[in-house]
């Protein structure tokens, strides 16, 4: 059970519903994925043929120069990005509704510090998520 699992489960549950156990998170996520409501956290890896007995089979197993390890790493990368997007949506939803104003009223110093940190990590995330293909258009 990861924080990403919990964030994704919270995103598909009605706001009034609470989960009693971690097992319920998996059940909710499985049902939501089956219904097409959320992306799969761990996408199934594409099937790549196993170890080949001769050179011809080896060439077929490494189609396009992509190894099974690369396929696995890529599937993990997609799962990581899906979890990050789910968490980013949750952050966006939680910051609205006057939360910042209330925090600044309650503890101006701490509220301002947290606002600066939130901006800092948003900028860092935007930098990592930038388009580096050379064809950078406005999103």
């Amino acid at each position: 059970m990861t924080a990403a699992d919990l964030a994704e489960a919270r995103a598909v549950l009605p706001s009034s519903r609470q989960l009693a156990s971690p097992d319920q998170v998996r059940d909710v996520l499985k049902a939501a994925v089956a219904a097409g409501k959320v992306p799969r956290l761990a996408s199934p890896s594409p099937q790549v043929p196993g170890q080949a007995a001769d050179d011809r089979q080896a060439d077929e197993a490494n189609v396009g120069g992509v190894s099974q390890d690369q396929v696995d790493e890529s599937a993990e990368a997609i799962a990581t990005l899906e979890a990050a997007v789910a968490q980013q949506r949750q952050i966006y939803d939680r910051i609205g509704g006057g939360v910042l104003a209330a925090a600044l009223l309650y503890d101006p110093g701490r509220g301002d510090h947290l606002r600066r940190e939130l901006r800092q990590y948003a900028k860092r995330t935007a930098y990592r998520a930038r388009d580096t293909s050379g064809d950078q258009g406005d999103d």
Side-chain angles (χ1 to χ4, degrees):
M1 186 59 50
T2 66
D5 294 334
L6 294 172
E8 197 165 339
R10 279 190 216 104
V12 297
L13 284 174
S15 60
S16 62
R17 179 142 185 231
Q18 296 292 323
L19 296 175
S21 73
D23 293 332
Q24 284 184 312
V25 174
R26 286 191 183 93
D27 294 340
V28 168
L29 288 175
K30 285 178 186 175
V33 167
K37 292 183 179 180
V38 293
R40 218 182 295 259
L41 280 176
S43 302
S45 300
Q47 295 298 314
V48 175
Q51 294 289 328
D54 61 78
D55 290 340
R56 185 174 149 273
Q57 288 177 333
D59 288 341
E60 291 173 3
N62 200 357
V63 176
V66 177
S67 70
Q68 181 63 45
D69 288 341
Q70 290 170 313
V71 170
D72 292 342
E73 288 173 16
S74 297
E76 181 65 28
I78 289 292
T80 298
L81 290 174
E82 287 174 344
V85 168
Q87 289 175 342
Q88 189 65 35
R89 282 187 190 123
Q90 184 182 16
I91 291 167
Y92 178 79
D93 291 342
R94 293 185 72 174
I95 298 301
V99 168
L100 182 58
L104 290 169
L105 181 64
Y106 179 74
D107 186 343
R110 182 76 177 144
D112 192 49
H113 171 76
L114 292 171
R115 175 174 51 186
R116 283 193 312 270
E117 267 199 311
L118 186 62
R119 282 185 181 148
Q120 178 184 28
Y121 282 101
K123 286 178 186 177
R124 288 179 179 180
T125 301
Y127 180 79
R128 284 187 177 175
R130 73 192 183 284
D131 183 0
T132 58
S133 67
D135 185 33
Q136 296 177 338
D138 291 339
D139 289 328

